[in-house]
Amino acid sequence: MDIAAFRDSFPQFSAELVPDARVQFHLTVAGKLLPAKRWDDLLDQGLGLYVAHQLTLELEVLKAQGGTGGIDAAAGPVTAETKTVGSMSHAVTRAGASGQGSALVNAGQYNNTIYGQQFWQLMQIVGAGGLVA
């Protein structure tokens, strides 16, 4: 998969939103993480979802720097918040994937974006069964 193919599959990541260099960076990393023999004809889908996940996280970080919410926004709206002043305590509950019970078991940070969740599910399929050399 190259930059053009990625943008064809994920047009929401336009050149205006994400520079080619960032797309290429994540394509290169993904190419090293996803063995072509294992992923076979699902390799492009895996590469694309991995890159879309990483770029979404990067864009959320940029939002945080701009004061518009960042990754906390991706976690969903705040459904409960507790504050304690004496001895300091602070707790926030969000209605994101984990809060709604829709988080994928053991998916960790891949639960933070819909692309990550799709990547994780695809990875489970690709990782199942034997590998013919």
Side-chain angles (χ1 to χ4, degrees):
M1 174 174 273
D2 60 14
I3 295 169
F6 173 78
R7 292 198 197 278
D8 284 345
S9 295
F10 297 90
Q12 61 273 37
F13 295 100
S14 65
E16 294 77 30
L17 183 63
V18 180
D20 284 352
R22 294 310 303 157
V23 175
Q24 186 57 60
F25 172 82
H26 289 295
L27 281 170
T28 300
V29 171
K32 296 189 182 300
L33 292 174
L34 309 181
K37 278 189 175 183
R38 169 65 75 184
W39 284 78
D40 196 35
D41 61 345
L42 292 172
L43 181 61
D44 282 348
Q45 288 81 3
L47 292 169
L49 289 168
Y50 176 86
V51 172
H53 170 71
Q54 296 299 333
L55 291 174
T56 300
L57 294 178
E58 282 188 4
L59 291 170
E60 289 300 321
V61 168
L62 292 175
K63 286 181 188 176
Q65 292 173 351
T68 57
I71 197 65
D72 288 341
V78 173
T79 58
E81 188 166 356
T82 305
K83 293 182 183 183
T84 307
V85 176
S87 299
M88 261 170 90
S89 172
H90 182 254
V92 174
T93 304
R94 294 190 171 271
S98 301
Q100 296 172 6
S102 63
L104 302 172
V105 177
N106 297 323
Q109 60 104 0
Y110 292 112
N111 276 312
N112 289 336
T113 72
I114 187 63
Y115 307 113
Q117 291 176 356
Q118 292 171 349
F119 174 72
W120 181 262
Q121 290 173 321
L122 189 60
M123 190 167 55
Q124 301 311 297
I125 294 167
V126 168
L131 176 65
V132 178

